[in-house]
């Protein structure tokens, strides 16, 4: 609960820090409403729409309402998918307003000791430190390989966990051994004639839990003619922090990443996670008020490119790509589409694979409900959104659901598990499918 003194501090900082011009850009036209999952799933509650949230932000700045628990609840329930931005005729940067408002509230609202401890552990002591992520995921790998997982499932221990976490435990990928997690490459040469020199943003969870997808990404880049530099001083992109009211920590992580990549002298910095990529592209905004880092952040952001974009640019879709006959559909990563403006590239690559019948999913760009840790902290709304997504998925009759973000991949696998469709539908990251298609056609291992 937000106390009186906290409300006063929050209201003051809203007046001082919120971008009032951006708030005024909203014309209240309502074009954003059909694109907002929480507005739709809440029964068209205006308080859970982009327009409604912006109105509340402005009302707090104007002193018309207090920044109370209802305001905080509305902002917390937002997925941050930014689907409202492409359809906004005024071009309102809703994502920036959401981050500003959450940061002000969370930095001034005193948390309970358990919540404070969890936030400190996650935001300050885990994600900024890759070695700790490696240690944590190594424990998960041990749990999977040692037999503890089978014991936990057979004993009924998992029944004490919420249904979402219980199902998620089943769909987590197998984690590599600690030795593999620590033996990561820093420089790779192309396997074809060199066309580009790129750097690879390996990420934190992508280079641990999803390490095989990172390996597939680097292999594809090498097949496409890229020399790859992987700076070993890079760290978490800061997206989780920026979206959760920890902007100062996000800025700290951004500066470390800029330093790590500045000396690489590359054409592009490649990402394979839509959420990470969208936040990296926004480093120029994140550090716009810092004279020392503004230009450096702009230079860094200008080089960010999703793996699908660079593969299309290098004509990878003209390579021999084939798979056994199957129907494939694609679920957009919200931040890849709305943040990085990458929409057609994944579709063109999928449509270039011989043997694939591509079927466009209805509302493919509507959020799946993953949104970082949203599916854990807002499980009820997340599952309602996921159930709607699975209805659209089943209509395609696809046997393979493709996405381009680790959170989306887990969420779609979670939906497949919940629907009892694990024997008939698989969810894969696009780079894993493209590598499979390339190596199937070229008999390369």
């Amino acid at each position: 609960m937000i106390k009186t003194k906290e409300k006063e501090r929050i209201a003051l900082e809203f007046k001082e820090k919120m971008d009032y011009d951006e708030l005024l850009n909203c014309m209240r036209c309502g074009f954003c409403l059909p694109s907002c999952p929480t507005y739709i799933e809440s029964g068209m509650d205006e308080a859970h729409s982009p327009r409604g949230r912006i109105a509340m932000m402005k009302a707090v700045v104007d002193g018309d309402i207090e920044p109370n628990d209802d305001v905080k609840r509305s902002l917390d329930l937002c997925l941050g998918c930014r689907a409202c931005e492409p359809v906004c005729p005024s071009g309102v940067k809703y994502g920036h307003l959401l981050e500003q408002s959450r940061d002000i509230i969370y930095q001034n609202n005193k948390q309970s000791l358990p919540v404070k401890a969890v936030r400190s552990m996650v935001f300050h002591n885990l994600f900024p430190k890759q070695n700790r992520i490696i240690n944590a995921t190594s424990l998960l790998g041990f749990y999977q390989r040692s037999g503890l997982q089978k014991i936990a499932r057979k004993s009924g221990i998992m029944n004490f966990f919420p249904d979402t976490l219980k199902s998620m435990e089943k769909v987590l990928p197998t984690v590599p051994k600690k030795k593999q997690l620590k033996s990561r490459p820093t420089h790779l040469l192309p396997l074809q004639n060199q066309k580009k020199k790129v750097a690879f943003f390996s990420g934190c969870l992508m280079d641990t839990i999803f390490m095989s997808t990172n390996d597939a990404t680097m292999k594809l880049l090498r097949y496409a003619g890229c020399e790859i530099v992987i700076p070993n001083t890079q760290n978490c992109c800061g997206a989780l922090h920026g979206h959760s009211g920890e902007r100062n920590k996000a800025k700290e992580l951004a500066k470390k990443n800029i330093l790590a990549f500045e000396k690489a002298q590359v054409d592009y910095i490649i990402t394979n996670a839509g959420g990470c990529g969208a936040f990296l592209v926004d480093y120029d905004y994140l550090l716009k008020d810092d004279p020392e880092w503004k230009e450096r952040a702009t230079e860094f952001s200008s080089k960010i490119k999703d793996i699908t974009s660079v593969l299309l640019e290098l004509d990878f879709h003209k390579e021999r790509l084939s798979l056994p006959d199957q129907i494939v559909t694609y679920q957009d990563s919200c931040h890849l589409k709305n943040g990085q403006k990458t929409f057609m590239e994944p579709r063109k690559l999928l449509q270039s694979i011989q043997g694939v019948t591509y079927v466009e999913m209805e509302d493919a760009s509507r959020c799946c409900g993953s949104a970082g840790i949203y599916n854990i902290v807002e499980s009820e709304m997340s599952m309602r959104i996921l159930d709607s997504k699975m209805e659209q998925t089943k209509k395609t009759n696809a046997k393979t659901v493709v996405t381009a973000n680790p959170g989306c991949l887990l969420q779609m696998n979670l939906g497949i598990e919940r629907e009892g469709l694990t024997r008939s539908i698989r969810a894969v990251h696009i780079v894993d499918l493209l590598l499979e298609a390339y190596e199937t056609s070229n008999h390369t291992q």
Side-chain angles (χ1 to χ4, degrees):
M1 181 177 290
I2 303 177
K3 298 177 181 178
T4 301
K5 288 186 177 180
E6 294 171 349
K7 290 178 184 177
E8 291 173 356
R9 289 198 300 270
I10 292 169
L12 180 61
E13 289 205 14
F14 260 68
K15 291 180 187 294
E16 293 176 346
K17 296 182 178 180
M18 290 298 294
D19 188 338
Y20 198 70
D21 289 338
E22 198 65 54
L23 290 171
L24 289 176
N25 279 341
C26 178
M27 301 185 301
R28 314 290 189 263
C29 65
F31 277 35
C32 59
L33 301 182
S35 69
C36 179
T38 56
Y39 174 73
I40 294 167
E41 295 298 335
S42 65
M44 299 185 180
D45 185 341
E46 185 75 21
H48 298 312
S49 72
R51 180 174 69 177
R53 291 179 177 116
I54 291 173
M56 280 190 281
M57 294 175 198
K58 183 176 180 296
V60 172
V61 175
D62 291 340
D64 294 333
I65 64 171
E66 287 185 326
N68 56 24
D69 292 309
D70 290 337
V71 173
K72 180 178 181 295
R73 180 62 189 144
S74 175
L75 296 176
D76 283 344
L77 198 62
C78 179
L79 291 147
C81 68
R82 295 168 61 180
C84 50
E85 292 185 13
V87 298
C88 177
S90 299
V92 175
K93 302 295 184 185
Y94 174 80
H96 294 165
L97 293 172
L98 180 66
E99 288 178 11
Q100 290 170 10
S101 57
R102 281 179 172 173
D103 186 57
I104 293 169
I105 290 174
Y106 275 92
Q107 293 307 311
N108 289 284
N109 180 208
K110 188 176 181 180
Q111 307 290 327
S112 66
L113 285 177
V115 171
K116 189 175 180 179
V118 170
R119 286 180 67 90
S120 177
M121 185 271 289
V122 171
F123 296 127
H124 296 272
N125 296 304
L126 180 60
F127 278 91
K129 304 179 188 297
Q130 189 66 6
N131 280 337
R132 292 183 184 178
I133 293 179
I134 289 173
N135 291 335
T137 51
S138 295
L139 290 175
L140 174 60
F142 176 77
Y143 164 76
Q144 292 173 328
R145 290 188 297 271
S146 65
L148 287 175
Q149 187 176 53
K150 291 181 180 179
I151 293 171
R153 291 176 180 177
K154 288 181 179 180
S155 66
I157 291 175
M158 296 308 300
N159 292 329
F160 291 98
F161 291 86
D163 288 343
T164 302
L165 288 178
K166 186 168 66 175
S167 298
M168 194 171 290
E169 184 266 352
K170 294 180 181 178
V171 302
L172 285 172
T174 302
V175 178
K177 294 180 180 179
K178 189 172 184 177
K179 184 178 179 180
Q180 294 173 282
L181 295 174
K182 283 184 168 289
S183 304
R184 305 300 289 145
T186 57
H187 183 240
L188 295 167
L189 296 175
L191 296 172
Q192 309 287 354
N193 292 332
Q194 183 165 333
K195 299 176 182 177
K196 296 286 182 183
K197 181 181 180 183
V198 302
F200 179 49
F201 184 83
S202 52
C204 42
L205 291 181
M206 284 304 301
D207 216 39
T208 49
I209 293 178
F210 297 94
M211 192 184 82
S212 62
T213 298
N214 265 9
D215 288 342
T217 302
M218 290 184 281
K219 208 167 185 181
L220 282 178
L221 288 170
R222 296 176 74 194
Y223 283 139
C226 293
E227 177 186 356
I228 313 170
V229 178
I230 311 103
N232 58 11
T233 54
Q234 61 178 294
N235 51 222
C236 173
C237 67
L240 187 61
H241 302 77
H243 301 326
S244 304
E246 297 281 345
R247 279 173 67 82
N248 284 338
K249 191 63 181 180
K251 290 177 182 179
E252 179 185 320
L253 294 171
K255 291 173 184 178
K256 289 181 179 179
N257 279 325
I258 292 168
L259 279 172
F261 284 88
E262 272 182 332
K263 297 178 181 178
Q265 298 292 309
V266 294
D267 299 303
Y268 303 124
I269 300 170
I270 306 300
T271 69
N272 61 2
C276 295
F279 201 72
L280 295 170
V281 164
D282 246 7
Y283 274 8
D284 57 346
Y285 174 80
L286 184 68
L287 298 172
K288 66 182 177 65
D289 297 321
D290 191 321
E292 181 184 349
W293 290 91
K294 181 179 178 181
E295 289 186 9
R296 296 163 75 178
T298 300
E299 175 68 16
F300 176 91
S301 295
S302 70
K303 291 186 176 182
I304 300 298
K305 207 173 190 71
D306 184 69
I307 176 66
T308 58
S309 293
V310 76
L311 288 178
L312 202 69
E313 180 180 323
L314 297 177
D315 291 332
F316 192 77
H317 59 298
K318 296 178 181 178
E319 297 280 353
R320 288 185 299 167
L321 303 171
S322 66
L323 287 171
D325 288 346
Q326 59 186 287
I327 299 173
V328 171
T329 192
Y330 179 70
Q331 161 61 24
D332 282 286
S333 156
C334 297
H335 287 96
L336 183 59
K337 176 182 181 290
N338 304 323
Q340 290 181 264
K341 316 300 181 190
T342 301
F343 176 76
M344 288 308 302
E345 292 89 338
R347 290 166 167 80
K348 287 181 179 178
L349 287 165
L350 292 173
Q351 290 166 359
S352 71
I353 303 173
Q354 293 181 17
V356 159
T357 300
Y358 178 78
V359 177
E360 181 71 14
M361 185 191 302
E362 185 179 345
D363 292 328
S365 58
R366 181 170 292 171
C367 186
C368 62
S370 172
I373 58 172
Y374 187 95
N375 55 5
I376 297 173
V377 298
E378 298 289 350
S379 178
E380 182 183 352
M381 179 59 77
S382 175
M383 293 304 102
R384 284 161 64 180
I385 293 169
L386 178 59
D387 288 344
S388 297
K389 179 61 63 178
M390 289 308 300
E391 288 303 311
Q392 303 297 0
T393 301
K394 287 186 286 187
K395 288 178 183 177
T396 67
N397 294 316
K399 300 302 180 186
T400 301
V401 182
V402 180
T403 187
N405 187 62
C408 303
L409 180 60
L410 281 179
Q411 186 81 340
M412 295 309 295
N413 272 317
L414 181 60
I416 291 168
E417 172 68 29
R418 280 162 53 87
E419 294 283 338
L421 298 172
T422 54
R423 293 186 179 180
S424 57
I425 302 178
R426 64 169 179 163
V428 298
H429 193 290
I430 189 166
V431 299
D432 292 309
L433 191 75
L434 288 172
L435 183 63
E436 181 185 346
Y438 182 89
E439 294 190 338
T440 296
S441 299
N442 295 278
H443 308 291
T444 305
Q445 299 296 329

